[in-house]
Amino acid sequence: MSVTTEPSAARDHAPVGKPNPLFKNLSAKLASIPMIITALVVFVGGTTWTVVYSFTNSKLLPRANFVGLDQYERLWSTRRWMVSIENLAIYGICSMILTLIIGFTLAALLDRKIRFENTFRTIFLYPFALSFIVTGLTWQWILNPDFGLQNVVRNWGWESFAFNPLNDPNTVIFGILIAGIWQGSGLIMCIMLAGLRGIDEDIWKAARVDGIGTVKTYLRIILPMMRPVIITSLVLIASGIIKLYDLVVAQTNGGPGIASEVPAKYVINYMFRAQNLGQGFAASTMMLVSVIIILIPWAYLEFGGRKRG
Amino acid sequence: MVDSALNNAAEPRGPKPKRAFSRANIFIYGTLLLVSIYYLLPLYVMIVTSLKGMPEIRLGNVFGPPLEPTFQPWIKAWAEACTGINCDGLSRGFWNSVKILIPSIVLSILIASVNGYALANWKFKGSETFFTILIIGAFIPYQTMLYPIVIMLREIKLMGSIWGLVLVHTVFGMPILTLLFRNYFTSIPEELFKAARVDGAGFWGIYFKIMLPMSLPIFVVAIILQVTGIWNDFLFGVIYTKPDTYPMTVQLNNIVNSVQGVKEYNVNMAATLLTGLVPLVIYFISGKLFVRGIAAGAVKG
């Protein structure tokens, strides 16, 4: 992300002598109207509206009948929401760690000047082109206990083999995790590989002269140098995790029972199915708060660090 | 492969590998091959399942190749599969998705490229502020904006229609596309812009006669980004359209996860593959440009 402001003095091509500054650069301003509307009305306006109405007791239709923090109290005492949060936490932590490890390892392996690099990269990245719905349905089929992986292994002769994550409330989130990592790790591999390619060849020469092994060089020298790339990857994975919705809908639809519910699904259920808008607004505001909690330290690292460095 | 071999020969770096099958190499290729199986397995399973008949599926070897390949499941998925009372298959969802996709791409890329151009070459007071809001907006969970957009679409009488969804895709595609175009136009030498100004060209003249012809590659990247993004969308489709106008992903989910009737896994997998086919084709054709698109979308956004 680069929202740095370049000095714009050189690009100020205002015709001299126009009295009203409002008409300066008029075509550009007119052309930017869709952007301005999107930014102000949809993004700022829409978000503010949702936050404000999360303090109301809106049911089927939004009503400005303010009830303080009632919706939030109800939200945090709803078991379904607690399950959603817990699932998101497990999914989030596991997927962050695993995606980073897999992404970096694959990138490092591809970086070893190997043959067929393009083929391997194509294979690792193609799931990213697919819809979460496609991913979810495919893995639902592979993890099907009667016809899928479990049954195949049993047919091979291992009769007691049990691998049925999607039908067990305790493990269902890991079944979703398998699919999520399958889809998302290729992207991180790609970003990591770009980062590795950006590292100076001299670092490798110096490490070789000092007699440091390849693995050790990656872990002790290259990895710390990749900090910006890793932070970008983390932000990317994190923003994807909070949006987690389609995959769950396709793979388990929140089941068995409510065992694989996630916050994004909670919001949509309350807004568009249960006709309890206030509850949906409160839940979505909590999602917004969690994004802010993730984004602020990152923005601080990214932009605060740049000023110092 | 030949190309990269030649490049390596042109600029030798480090010691030449002595043996092709050193222990390190066996480890590297072994790991990569194993991991490739994990990535390729679902695609393989989808293909073989979609070509089997139901009796063969009930035998229970999900990894086995089809003994009697049949295209019946594909035909059924395309033309006969049921969602609710409609039994005209995925084809309706496919054409809905096409009808959503084309105007969305044209509109979003047109608007975003002009935005990027204005931000790069015609800065005005506040333009950077709007841009910053736009980029921050890309990180806001969609859930906080879903309902206000429902109200806005109702106000302009587009709720439930394809054009409403087109507008939604245009709005949510704007941050990343604007960033993409802004960064690209900023990298075009300023002298060109200045020369055109001296020759008397204005905002639109420079855009259509100079910037547009010079930036075809970035337009291709933007198109790839949008085709895959919009085709794969589920959330907006399910909320802003109605059953008649459901895009393909929503219809697919309804077909496969419908509770009534006997589950026909081969038809389901054929339907899933059909839905995944468009982005997969784009992916395999576009190759490096796809990577460039997601890299631009990822690293910068």
Side-chain angles (χ1 to χ4, degrees):
Chain A
M1 182 150 144
S2 59
V3 270
T4 46
T5 329
E6 291 99 340
S8 62
R11 298 198 163 193
D12 239 343
H13 303 273
V16 192
K18 283 234 169 157
N20 192 342
L22 199 68
F23 293 116
K24 189 178 127 186
N25 223 342
L26 188 64
S27 309
K29 283 175 187 169
L30 287 177
S32 301
I33 285 176
M35 175 177 83
I36 295 170
I37 291 177
T38 300
L40 294 185
V41 179
V42 182
F43 289 178
V44 175
T47 308
T48 316
W49 189 93
T50 302
V51 173
V52 169
Y53 273 81
S54 73
F55 298 105
T56 69
N57 64 354
S58 308
K59 287 282 183 198
L60 178 59
L61 291 169
R63 269 181 226 291
N65 186 7
F66 290 93
V67 289
L69 290 172
D70 274 15
Q71 296 289 4
Y72 292 91
E73 275 168 30
R74 196 174 307 156
L75 180 69
W76 286 101
S77 58
T78 307
R79 207 176 88 79
R80 187 173 181 166
W81 175 253
M82 299 313 284
V83 172
S84 304
I85 294 282
E86 196 186 313
N87 278 335
L88 194 70
I90 298 173
Y91 180 91
I93 292 167
C94 294
S95 111
M96 220 172 237
I97 296 171
L98 288 173
T99 312
L100 272 186
I101 293 176
I102 295 173
F104 182 77
T105 314
L106 290 181
L109 290 174
L110 288 185
D111 191 42
R112 301 308 303 156
K113 301 197 176 72
I114 57 154
R115 285 160 144 267
F116 309 119
E117 183 200 315
N118 281 336
T119 314
F120 281 120
R121 205 183 48 201
T122 308
I123 292 173
F124 299 151
L125 190 60
Y126 88 89
F128 186 72
L130 293 172
S131 161
F132 271 122
I133 299 294
V134 171
T135 304
L137 295 177
T138 311
W139 280 97
Q140 184 195 57
W141 169 237
I142 293 175
L143 298 176
N144 183 311
D146 299 325
F147 304 108
L149 189 62
Q150 173 176 279
N151 187 50
V152 170
V153 176
R154 282 183 184 173
N155 286 349
W156 285 342
W158 185 358
E159 294 288 341
S160 63
F161 179 80
F163 188 69
N164 185 10
L166 294 187
N167 289 319
D168 179 349
N170 295 315
T171 56
V172 62
I173 198 69
F174 297 102
I176 295 171
L177 188 68
I178 295 175
I181 288 175
W182 179 76
Q183 165 134 6
S185 48
L187 169 72
I188 302 303
M189 180 270 303
C190 226
I191 294 168
M192 294 276 191
L193 189 58
L196 285 175
R197 290 281 149 81
I199 281 176
D200 200 339
E201 194 72 16
D202 290 345
I203 303 279
W204 279 104
K205 283 179 192 153
R208 209 171 290 143
V209 169
D210 287 346
I212 305 171
T214 312
V215 175
K216 209 173 171 189
T217 312
Y218 270 116
L219 294 180
R220 305 291 284 278
I221 301 169
I222 306 290
L223 206 55
M225 289 177 72
M226 299 259 290
R227 212 194 68 152
V229 179
I230 291 172
I231 292 174
T232 310
S233 308
L234 277 177
V235 170
L236 218 67
I237 302 171
S239 64
I241 288 167
I242 290 171
K243 284 176 189 160
L244 179 68
Y245 170 71
D246 324 20
L247 187 60
V248 178
V249 170
Q251 214 177 343
T252 64
N253 202 15
I258 56 165
S260 59
E261 290 285 339
V262 285
K265 191 163 175 295
Y266 184 95
V267 170
I268 287 157
N269 275 332
Y270 274 87
M271 270 189 205
F272 298 101
R273 310 269 181 275
Q275 295 172 339
N276 191 342
L277 284 175
Q279 205 34 215
F281 295 152
S284 61
T285 306
M286 291 316 303
M287 289 177 69
L288 179 67
V289 170
S290 57
V291 169
I292 293 172
I293 290 173
I294 295 169
L295 272 190
I296 284 180
W298 169 68
Y300 180 78
L301 279 173
E302 184 97 323
F303 302 109
R306 197 172 287 168
K307 260 175 227 155
R308 267 183 271 121
Chain B
M1 278 305 108
V2 179
D3 270 7
S4 67
L6 283 176
N7 281 341
N8 282 347
E11 35 167 316
R13 295 182 291 192
K16 273 260 146 74
K18 292 184 186 74
R19 287 170 299 165
F21 290 102
S22 66
R23 237 191 304 161
N25 268 353
I26 290 174
F27 171 75
I28 290 176
Y29 286 110
T31 315
L32 286 175
L33 282 174
L34 266 177
V35 179
S36 300
I37 292 175
Y38 168 61
Y39 283 93
L40 284 175
L41 192 73
L43 187 61
Y44 170 77
V45 169
M46 268 194 276
I47 294 172
V48 292
T49 307
S50 73
L51 296 175
K52 288 176 188 172
M54 271 315 279
E56 205 182 325
I57 286 175
R58 288 201 195 89
L59 291 178
N61 187 358
V62 78
F63 301 129
L67 300 173
E68 295 160 17
T70 163
F71 282 98
Q72 201 52 42
W74 285 71
I75 296 164
K76 191 162 185 200
W78 176 256
E80 294 159 33
C82 294
T83 40
I85 45 163
N86 292 316
C87 283
D88 48 4
L90 257 185
S91 52
R92 192 155 47 95
F94 175 85
W95 291 116
N96 281 342
S97 274
V98 171
K99 279 184 229 159
I100 294 162
L101 188 66
I102 291 170
S104 299
I105 291 176
V106 173
L107 198 63
S108 65
I109 290 181
L110 199 73
I111 290 179
S113 64
V114 173
N115 282 344
Y117 165 62
L119 285 166
N121 296 83
W122 298 82
K123 288 198 174 108
F124 54 90
K125 207 173 165 220
S127 63
E128 285 297 309
T129 315
F130 294 127
F131 178 61
T132 311
I133 296 174
L134 204 65
I135 296 299
I136 294 172
F139 288 97
I140 301 175
Y142 296 144
Q143 277 73 15
T144 56
M145 296 178 256
L146 285 181
Y147 203 83
I149 292 176
V150 169
I151 298 175
M152 290 174 208
L153 288 181
R154 268 190 203 137
E155 285 297 314
I156 53 174
K157 304 268 187 294
L158 285 180
M159 184 66 194
S161 74
I162 279 178
W163 280 99
L165 190 57
V166 168
L167 275 185
V168 172
H169 281 307
T170 307
V171 161
F172 285 106
M174 208 184 285
I176 174 64
L177 290 181
T178 304
L179 184 77
L180 194 72
F181 282 108
R182 170 188 174 272
N183 288 355
Y184 188 84
F185 289 136
T186 312
S187 72
I188 289 180
E190 219 194 318
E191 284 68 28
L192 258 169
F193 178 79
K194 278 184 182 157
R197 287 287 290 158
V198 171
D199 288 347
F203 183 86
W204 294 109
I206 297 177
Y207 175 75
F208 282 111
K209 289 196 188 116
I210 296 173
M211 294 304 186
L212 211 60
M214 280 190 69
S215 39
L216 286 179
I218 205 72
F219 274 89
V220 176
V221 169
I223 291 172
I224 293 168
L225 208 66
Q226 284 297 81
V227 173
T228 46
I230 294 169
W231 193 271
N232 290 339
D233 160 69
F234 174 80
L235 177 66
F236 299 137
V238 81
I239 286 174
Y240 298 117
T241 55
K242 42 186 199 290
D244 284 344
T245 45
Y246 273 162
M248 202 172 185
T249 47
V250 179
Q251 213 195 351
L252 168 72
N253 188 49
N254 288 349
I255 288 177
V256 177
N257 283 330
S258 76
V259 274
Q260 68 271 85
V262 185
K263 287 230 172 201
E264 291 182 284
Y265 297 105
N266 50 357
V267 177
N268 290 350
M269 281 302 112
T272 310
L273 258 180
L274 276 170
T275 311
L277 219 50
V278 170
L280 274 185
V281 167
I282 300 271
Y283 172 70
F284 286 116
I285 291 177
S286 61
K288 283 230 163 80
L289 280 172
F290 183 90
V291 175
R292 197 173 152 194
I294 61 158
V299 178
K300 305 282 181 164

